[in-house]
Amino acid sequence: MVKEGVIESLVLENFRCHPLLELSELGRRNCLQGANGQGKTSILEAIYLLSRCKSFRTPRIPECAGWGKRSFGLAASVQGVDEVERLKYEWSTSGRQLSINHESNLKLEQFWGKLPAIAITNADREMVKGSGSNRRNWIDSLIAGQDHSYLLLVQKAALLQRQKNAILKSEQVDRGLWTILSEQMKPLMEEMVEKREKMTELVGGEIELFYQRLTESEEKIGFTYQSESARRLEKSLDQIWENENRSRNCELGPHRDDWEMSLDKKSLRHFGSEGQQKSAALAMRLAEAEFLDDSGAVLIDDALMELDLRRRKRFWSLLPEDRQLFFASTNVESDQAYAGFDLRLEILRGGFRKMTTV
């Protein structure tokens, strides 16, 4: 098991702007600084890929390969429970390879989350003001972090959804096949709804607590599960068939649920200021950090530049001290006093140099 440790070293090969970058003797609180376009965010993205097998910057993994390259590789040495373990993520045009130590060709659920990590970015406000997919993905990742079998549940439900949509969009809809797929979908969605309800209850109070601490306000933030799936599960198969055959779309599936975020009972999405939305998104990430294992990496990509100094100071004080930290920014001086970096690296395109910490 890898989860007990921290990242000791990191290797990026043909990844973004880094032909070969090797970082060793990483600290508990690491600062990556430098001018724009030097590859600071790419380092955080590499760690996130090793954790979640996806990028927080793009849904298209081929875009992560260096210019003109048809493959890339990532590796991290992590202090595990008993020994240092090595995780590798390799991508080429022929496919993806995941491995831990000498065990290769691992499946997603065997690799995902072995190196726990969360990413805090400027795009996080979309979790508050954006589409429901942002909130669904966030809740589902929290659940999967606690229970890796949930990944298979989500994958199976998504596959059934695609299959049902293909049938419903055909000229001659095969109701017999539709019924088989729908009968398979119902128990999956019942389990997903139950797990989403439980996680919402767990995380909702944490979001409210962190929002109040971060803003020093008494505004009540709400995080309410609006389960369209639960409502559709109450319908009979005949009723679901009537609706889906008419709309020619799968209406019972993992893609319909959403969460309402409110501030003093007003919609934060529609009536919240940019500052309130930003603070709510940070509160969600701070709550997520609490759900990591005792260790785990928190990746911060220039996500604090809109905050005043008081709020920045409170943010750093709210981060769990036992999490490994990677902070990327063009200007770190205003955060140095609060963050307590023990390693500062100036990132240069394809390289780095160590800087003296204060």
Side-chain angles (χ1 to χ4, degrees):
M1 294 291 290
V2 178
K3 294 181 180 179
E4 296 299 321
V6 297
I7 303 169
E8 294 187 344
S9 64
L10 186 68
V11 178
L12 287 67
E13 184 175 358
N14 293 332
F15 189 78
R16 298 287 190 181
C17 65
H18 298 295
L20 180 63
L21 181 66
E22 300 183 53
L23 302 176
S24 60
E25 298 180 354
L26 293 169
R28 178 62 79 165
R29 293 202 160 207
N30 305 277
C31 173
L32 312 177
Q33 61 187 84
N36 290 325
Q38 301 304 301
K40 302 182 300 298
T41 299
S42 298
I43 295 171
L44 305 189
E45 183 182 24
I47 297 171
Y48 196 78
L49 263 169
L50 283 163
S51 174
R52 301 294 182 89
C53 297
K54 67 178 182 179
S55 165
F56 59 77
R57 300 169 75 184
T58 175
R60 290 180 47 79
I61 297 300
E63 294 178 2
C64 297
W67 180 254
K69 301 297 182 180
R70 298 168 62 84
S71 65
F72 68 81
L74 306 170
S77 294
V78 183
Q79 180 60 57
V81 177
D82 300 314
E83 61 183 357
V84 174
E85 303 190 55
R86 189 168 177 84
L87 281 70
K88 292 179 68 176
Y89 180 111
E90 298 171 283
W91 177 88
S92 70
T93 52
S94 60
R96 178 184 68 190
Q97 292 284 339
L98 306 173
S99 61
I100 299 177
N101 293 336
H102 302 296
E103 187 177 359
S104 57
N105 297 319
L106 296 178
K107 296 180 180 179
L108 176 65
E109 62 271 17
Q110 295 174 295
F111 189 89
W112 192 97
K114 294 297 184 182
L115 171 62
I118 68 168
I120 305 176
T121 76
N122 267 327
D124 284 346
R125 200 151 61 93
E126 290 300 309
M127 294 196 303
V128 177
K129 71 169 189 173
S131 68
S133 63
N134 296 286
R135 292 174 287 280
R136 281 194 299 275
N137 291 338
W138 185 69
I139 283 287
D140 285 344
S141 68
L142 283 178
I143 300 170
Q146 304 292 308
D147 176 9
H148 288 186
S149 67
Y150 185 73
L151 282 174
L152 286 174
L153 191 64
V154 174
Q155 290 174 329
K156 288 178 181 177
L159 176 60
L160 287 173
Q161 178 192 335
R162 292 194 297 271
Q163 290 173 332
K164 285 184 67 178
N165 275 329
I167 292 170
L168 290 163
K169 289 180 178 3
S170 62
E171 290 186 12
Q172 296 275 333
V173 181
D174 185 335
R175 182 167 181 179
L177 183 54
W178 177 93
T179 299
I180 293 172
L181 296 176
S182 296
E183 288 176 340
Q184 293 175 3
M185 176 74 86
K186 288 194 76 171
L188 297 181
M189 288 312 306
E190 287 169 353
E191 188 173 352
M192 286 187 69
V193 166
E194 181 182 358
K195 291 181 180 294
R196 284 173 170 178
E197 285 176 342
K198 288 181 178 178
M199 181 54 70
T200 302
E201 185 177 349
L202 285 172
V203 80
E206 295 289 330
I207 295 172
E208 180 177 347
L209 178 64
F210 279 115
Y211 184 87
Q212 291 179 342
R213 288 179 176 176
L214 184 64
T215 63
E216 292 185 330
S217 76
E218 296 183 356
E219 295 174 311
K220 297 288 186 181
I221 194 167
F223 187 71
T224 308
Y225 183 25
Q226 297 180 324
S227 179
E228 183 63 26
S229 297
R231 287 190 286 272
R232 293 184 186 276
L233 283 168
E234 294 175 355
K235 299 179 181 294
S236 67
L237 272 183
D238 286 339
Q239 291 172 313
I240 295 172
W241 160 256
E242 184 178 342
N243 292 336
E244 293 191 353
N245 188 43
R246 182 173 58 248
S247 67
R248 293 301 179 99
N249 278 299
C250 175
E251 297 187 3
L252 174 62
H255 59 302
R256 292 288 181 180
D257 289 355
D258 201 351
W259 284 257
E260 174 64 27
M261 297 196 70
S262 60
L263 198 60
D264 286 342
K265 299 184 178 180
K266 292 183 180 179
S267 171
L268 192 54
R269 179 181 179 184
H270 296 106
F271 300 106
S273 67
E274 288 191 12
Q276 289 170 327
Q277 292 174 350
K278 173 79 172 182
S279 296
L282 284 174
M284 292 172 73
R285 289 303 189 194
L286 287 167
E288 183 179 1
E290 288 291 313
F291 280 83
L292 285 176
D293 292 296
D294 291 340
S295 61
V298 177
L299 318 173
I300 307 172
D301 184 30
D302 241 348
L304 309 180
M305 56 187 178
E306 297 174 358
L307 301 183
D308 58 43
L309 289 179
R310 289 178 61 193
R311 199 161 295 191
R312 289 170 92 113
K313 182 178 180 179
R314 288 194 292 273
F315 171 82
W316 288 113
S317 70
L318 292 171
L319 278 175
E321 292 184 2
D322 56 356
R323 307 297 190 259
Q324 189 176 24
L325 174 69
F326 292 85
F327 176 65
S329 179
T330 56
N331 180 14
V332 303
E333 300 309 319
S334 57
D335 295 285
Q336 170 64 34
Y338 311 135
F341 302 122
D342 51 39
L343 179 65
R344 288 177 63 176
L345 302 176
E346 182 182 13
I347 304 302
L348 309 168
R349 185 177 286 265
F352 69 95
R353 70 182 182 92
K354 289 188 177 182
M355 303 185 69
T356 304
T357 55
V358 179

